[in-house]
Amino acid sequence: MTPAAPSTAPDPPSGQVWAHVGQSFKPRDYDVVVLGAGRMGSAFAFYLRHLAPHLSLLLLEEGGLPNEDGATLLAPGLWTARDVPPARLDEARWTRQQLATAFGDISFQPRPLIELFAEEGTDRINAAEALAPFPDALAMVDVSALPFAQVDTQAATYRPGAVALAAAQSAVRLGADLMLNARAHAVLAPDGTGGTVVTQRLSVTNTHQIIVHETHRLRAGVIVLALGADGPHAAEHELGIHTTHARAYRQTPRLDVPSSDGTPTLRAAGLTLRPQNGGFTLIPAIHHRDPHGYTPTGGHLTGVPTGLRRETLEDLVALMDALPPLGTEALGLGRSLSDIPGAWLALPRGRADGGAGGLPLHQQLTGGVHLLLGGPHADTLGLAVAHDLAAAVAGITGRPWENEGAGT
Amino acid sequence: MTPAAPSTAPDPPSGQVWAHVGQSFKPRDYDVVVLGAGRMGSAFAFYLRHLAPHLSLLLLEEGGLPNEDGATLLAPGLWTARDVPPARLDEARWTRQQLATAFGDISFQPRPLIELFAEEGTDRINAAEALAPFPDALAMVDVSALPFAQVDTQAATYRPGAVALAAAQSAVRLGADLMLNARAHAVLAPDGTGGTVVTQRLSVTNTHQIIVHETHRLRAGVIVLALGADGPHAAEHELGIHTTHARAYRQTPRLDVPSSDGTPTLRAAGLTLRPQNGGFTLIPAIHHRDPHGYTPTGGHLTGVPTGLRRETLEDLVALMDALPPLGTEALGLGRSLSDIPGAWLALPRGRADGGAGGLPLHQQLTGGVHLLLGGPHADTLGLAVAHDLAAAVAGITGRPWENEGAGT
């Protein structure tokens, strides 16, 4: 059978792809089943095919493409060592090298990150001098309000969605099976070794209703939940395993100020201004989890409804003096929530800040069932954590970043 | 006219009370109008009558009694210097003295606060020794999980609702007018000196509908918004003044373990166990604001619906090993939100922690209009902040706590 969705050359050992219900599927057992083909699940599948080609692997995705929807697509794609505690720097550097070399064209672009401050501090230099080589960026900042800067010259930007797609395609090329348009949940085996994955193949009716076309039960020795912000919910409601992870809804409004490949990424008071598509994407700070039962809703600015949630709006208002373009029509506030791209982001251990536990992680929920979480720092450390779980499943003890980052 | 609701002796200089719409009200100007007769508004009125008896004053309250509803009634009523930064200790001590002496019977009860820790630290002693004088409290704690303790021997408990009622009654006795069952909002004067208070007198129909009986417009030289968590919302939506304050929904579940007047208050990982009515009231930690648009909702514990919000439930679950009664039927989890008392709490400057700006405060919104906010630390500092605003309105520069707390 020829792979359907990711149109790669059908090399002999290539895995199968089921893109739609017209392609018949004969249930079988798998050594490893991955739920979710976002960047974490796809990267895990990619590395596991490298490290343990003898293990049969199925990657399941609810969307019609790896990463059709969800947090990966809206992730800033900003690699920076600024958020990384020293003990994890080797993994971050290895991730950067992977991004630069392992996934083809993912728009990887070395681009300094200039973080701006109102107060002096260690390693901070004059902001006007830091911005001087970048007149377009300098024009956006009131350097009297933010006179100090810290520069990460090693920072880079890329497209996380492209990483997910390339990783899933490569995994298939290396022998992984991929089923798209498939909703799945895990059922624990009573003996504590993996479990059963119940897979519902979805199709769309003439009236655009999504219906379950057929249901299969697949036995898996290892199950990886790579469902992003939905992972902890699945762990609790499907497996009965309580975790301390949480989630937050992040919106990424657009700032229509011209940018180019040479424009640095800017950051101030937790707000990141990421050059993208000739303008900027704003990545607001995540201050903390959102409560259970919260439904995102637009806010009001001096009585006018906006599509931005109130907390983000407040952060932007507080920065309007220091970053004057935020106070202009260049900022896309929208009129309702649907006007502003947004996604639920997993917060590992309930934390958004890297230093305090909110870094990407994998966690064994029970024998053979693992939770894989990206979250706010997946851009910088996600690949290393996905690789770490793949190596653990493969039974390999060394990690490439322990040898100063020699690749997979 | 005889005061109706707070049944105090009608001394000659006593103010008027309008409890229901049957009592006719003839609009007049006031020097000062206070919106909200919770503990902050009532205390402000009480101190202002002391400090500036020449200023006419009207206290407006939407409920049928001062403090019929709202955060004051559910406040823990725990005075402790533990939460207070050193610069504010004089005010805290003065507040304690006021609580002990100025408001009659408010169930003021000196009672140590014993805070328990898993880790050693400065000023921490052996938990078993700290708890030894209190066998009932000792029996609630697994001291192997929480072996260290810090004791605030000056802590005390009291009933904030009783303070609000006594302060409002005393204010009326000292000449303040009080209107109950009145919804009010402020309209700014164009010249920036106070404004107009639009007052709607409410009554209840035979079918239990609340209707507006009559509307009055009162001119006020000074307006004080003492509306608790609704204050910042009123400032923004009625006056167009944006603030950085926020709010959080706090529930106070019951723990049915016997307590007496001699039982200390316990605290661990931010959870306060406050002896009350022969058992304990649990005061969960407030970790951060709730987002705009959040509607509190009950959580689930291993699939069973509870009346406690998820975040509080998680905190209690995390403490069940260290505080075993939390894992028993003694903890009232309820079945739906309405089973557990809860209220919206103002978070001054959006913060819950005293050291980081979340202390009670007053703030001039515009000429003659002040916002008065209690929040999580109102038990310890609220009276001093209410007094401070009263003294400012009265044009007095000294503060009693500057002379080592000599009373009002």
Side-chain angles (χ1 to χ4, degrees):
Chain A
M1 180 176 281
T2 306
S7 56
T8 58
D11 288 347
S14 184
Q16 291 190 308
V17 178
W18 295 270
H20 54 85
V21 295
Q23 299 163 294
S24 75
F25 173 74
K26 195 166 169 300
R28 51 160 289 193
D29 293 350
Y30 281 94
D31 294 318
V32 181
V33 174
V34 183
L35 276 59
R39 63 167 141 189
M40 296 301 286
S42 296
F44 168 82
F46 169 75
Y47 290 122
L48 190 67
R49 289 311 300 162
H50 275 285
L51 297 171
H54 59 286
L55 297 177
S56 61
L57 190 158
L58 174 66
L59 181 57
L60 289 165
E61 165 62 34
E62 189 168 344
L65 276 176
N67 178 47
E68 191 188 25
D69 212 354
T72 295
L73 210 61
L74 293 181
L78 168 64
W79 186 98
T80 170
R82 287 282 290 145
D83 306 326
V84 180
R88 307 295 296 272
L89 274 176
D90 286 343
E91 283 168 82
R93 290 193 195 105
W94 180 84
T95 296
R96 188 183 191 283
Q97 191 198 38
Q98 289 285 300
L99 292 168
T101 59
F103 298 98
D105 179 14
I106 58 162
S107 305
F108 185 83
Q109 175 78 47
R111 188 195 299 267
L113 169 67
I114 302 182
E115 188 162 359
L116 300 158
F117 301 91
E119 284 92 32
E120 231 167 332
T122 316
D123 294 332
R124 291 185 190 166
I125 61 174
N126 180 285
E129 281 172 38
L131 291 165
F134 313 102
D136 54 348
L138 179 60
M140 297 172 66
V141 180
D142 177 350
V143 290
S144 68
L146 296 169
F148 304 99
Q150 187 161 2
V151 183
D152 179 356
T153 56
Q154 292 303 300
T157 54
Y158 66 98
R159 291 200 299 122
V163 173
L165 193 59
Q169 286 176 333
S170 297
V172 169
R173 212 176 298 124
L174 293 164
D177 289 347
L178 169 65
M179 185 184 284
L180 301 167
N181 294 306
R183 191 181 290 154
H185 70 269
V187 179
L188 291 185
D191 62 358
T193 55
T196 299
V197 176
V198 180
T199 305
Q200 300 180 315
R201 298 188 73 187
L202 307 174
S203 67
V204 180
T205 67
N206 288 338
T207 56
H208 300 283
Q209 271 191 302
I210 292 174
I211 59 160
V212 175
H213 178 81
E214 60 187 24
T215 299
H216 299 288
R217 299 174 67 87
L218 316 174
R219 180 70 213 165
V222 170
I223 298 173
V224 175
L225 302 183
L227 297 161
D230 292 336
H233 185 269
E236 181 159 336
H237 290 262
E238 292 164 16
L239 307 178
I241 296 166
H242 174 85
T243 71
T244 61
H245 312 300
R247 61 180 200 160
Y249 188 77
R250 180 168 70 186
Q251 292 180 292
T252 52
R254 175 107 183 134
L255 183 68
D256 274 324
V257 170
S259 76
S260 70
D261 282 355
T263 308
T265 302
L266 300 176
R267 187 179 280 179
L271 175 73
T272 301
L273 296 84
R274 190 258 205 242
Q276 198 159 33
N277 303 330
F280 286 84
T281 300
L282 303 187
I283 319 291
I286 300 170
H287 297 293
H288 46 70
R289 66 188 293 179
D290 283 321
H292 175 84
Y294 167 66
T295 306
T297 176
H300 284 79
L301 194 61
T302 57
V304 179
T306 77
L308 269 182
R309 58 181 292 182
R310 170 77 189 200
E311 296 71 33
T312 299
L313 207 49
E314 288 186 14
D315 285 351
L316 296 181
V317 168
L319 275 167
M320 278 179 183
D321 287 339
L323 297 170
L326 294 180
T328 69
E329 304 252 309
L331 175 62
L333 292 172
R335 300 274 303 169
S336 74
L337 200 75
S338 55
D339 295 335
I340 311 279
W344 286 101
L345 211 57
L347 298 189
R349 299 191 181 91
R351 308 301 303 247
D353 36 347
L359 297 176
L361 58 80
H362 60 81
Q363 172 187 355
Q364 179 157 333
L365 295 172
T366 179
V369 182
H370 301 268
L371 181 67
L372 183 58
L373 278 187
H377 303 279
D379 282 346
T380 300
L381 278 167
L383 293 180
V385 170
H387 185 286
D388 190 63
L389 179 58
V393 169
I396 294 169
T397 50
R399 298 291 179 266
W401 48 86
E402 293 167 359
N403 309 311
E404 293 169 292
T408 50
Chain B
M1 180 173 286
T2 308
S7 55
T8 59
D11 288 346
S14 184
Q16 293 191 306
V17 177
W18 294 272
H20 55 84
V21 296
Q23 299 162 295
S24 75
F25 172 74
K26 195 167 170 298
R28 51 161 289 196
D29 294 350
Y30 282 94
D31 293 318
V32 181
V33 174
V34 182
L35 276 58
R39 60 166 141 187
M40 296 301 286
S42 297
F44 168 81
F46 170 77
Y47 290 124
L48 190 67
R49 291 309 302 163
H50 275 284
L51 297 171
H54 59 285
L55 297 178
S56 60
L57 190 157
L58 174 65
L59 181 58
L60 289 165
E61 165 63 34
E62 188 167 343
L65 277 175
N67 178 46
E68 190 188 26
D69 212 354
T72 296
L73 210 61
L74 293 182
L78 168 64
W79 186 97
T80 170
R82 288 282 290 144
D83 306 327
V84 180
R88 307 296 295 273
L89 273 175
D90 286 344
E91 283 168 82
R93 290 194 194 104
W94 179 86
T95 296
R96 188 183 191 283
Q97 190 197 41
Q98 288 286 298
L99 293 168
T101 60
F103 298 98
D105 178 15
I106 58 161
S107 306
F108 185 83
Q109 175 76 47
R111 189 196 297 270
L113 168 68
I114 303 181
E115 188 163 0
L116 300 159
F117 301 91
E119 285 91 32
E120 231 167 333
T122 315
D123 295 330
R124 293 185 190 165
I125 61 174
N126 181 286
E129 281 172 37
L131 291 166
F134 313 103
D136 54 348
L138 179 60
M140 297 171 67
V141 180
D142 177 350
V143 290
S144 69
L146 296 168
F148 303 100
Q150 187 160 1
V151 183
D152 180 356
T153 56
Q154 293 302 301
T157 55
Y158 65 99
R159 291 200 297 123
V163 173
L165 193 58
Q169 286 175 334
S170 298
V172 169
R173 211 178 298 124
L174 293 164
D177 289 348
L178 170 65
M179 184 183 286
L180 301 168
N181 294 307
R183 191 180 290 154
H185 69 268
V187 179
L188 291 185
D191 62 356
T193 56
T196 300
V197 176
V198 180
T199 305
Q200 302 180 315
R201 298 189 72 188
L202 307 174
S203 67
V204 180
T205 67
N206 289 339
T207 55
H208 301 283
Q209 272 190 301
I210 292 174
I211 58 161
V212 176
H213 179 81
E214 60 186 26
T215 299
H216 299 289
R217 298 174 67 89
L218 316 174
R219 184 63 215 165
V222 170
I223 298 173
V224 175
L225 302 183
L227 296 163
D230 292 336
H233 185 270
E236 182 159 334
H237 290 263
E238 292 164 16
L239 307 179
I241 296 165
H242 175 84
T243 71
T244 61
H245 312 300
R247 61 180 201 162
Y249 187 77
R250 180 167 70 186
Q251 292 179 291
T252 52
R254 177 108 183 133
L255 183 68
D256 273 324
V257 170
S259 76
S260 71
D261 282 355
T263 308
T265 302
L266 300 177
R267 187 179 280 179
L271 175 74
T272 302
L273 296 84
R274 191 259 205 240
Q276 198 158 31
N277 304 328
F280 287 84
T281 300
L282 303 188
I283 320 292
I286 299 170
H287 297 293
H288 46 71
R289 69 187 291 180
D290 283 321
H292 175 82
Y294 168 65
T295 306
T297 175
H300 283 80
L301 194 61
T302 58
V304 179
T306 77
L308 270 182
R309 58 181 291 182
R310 170 76 190 205
E311 295 72 33
T312 299
L313 206 50
E314 287 185 15
D315 285 352
L316 297 181
V317 167
L319 275 167
M320 278 179 183
D321 288 339
L323 298 170
L326 294 180
T328 69
E329 304 253 308
L331 175 62
L333 292 172
R335 299 274 303 171
S336 74
L337 200 75
S338 56
D339 295 335
I340 311 278
W344 285 102
L345 211 59
L347 298 191
R349 300 191 180 91
R351 306 302 302 246
D353 36 347
L359 297 176
L361 58 80
H362 60 81
Q363 172 187 355
Q364 180 157 335
L365 295 172
T366 180
V369 182
H370 300 268
L371 181 68
L372 183 57
L373 279 187
H377 303 278
D379 282 346
T380 299
L381 278 167
L383 293 179
V385 171
H387 185 286
D388 190 64
L389 178 58
V393 168
I396 293 168
T397 50
R399 298 292 178 267
W401 48 86
E402 292 167 0
N403 309 311
E404 292 169 294
T408 51

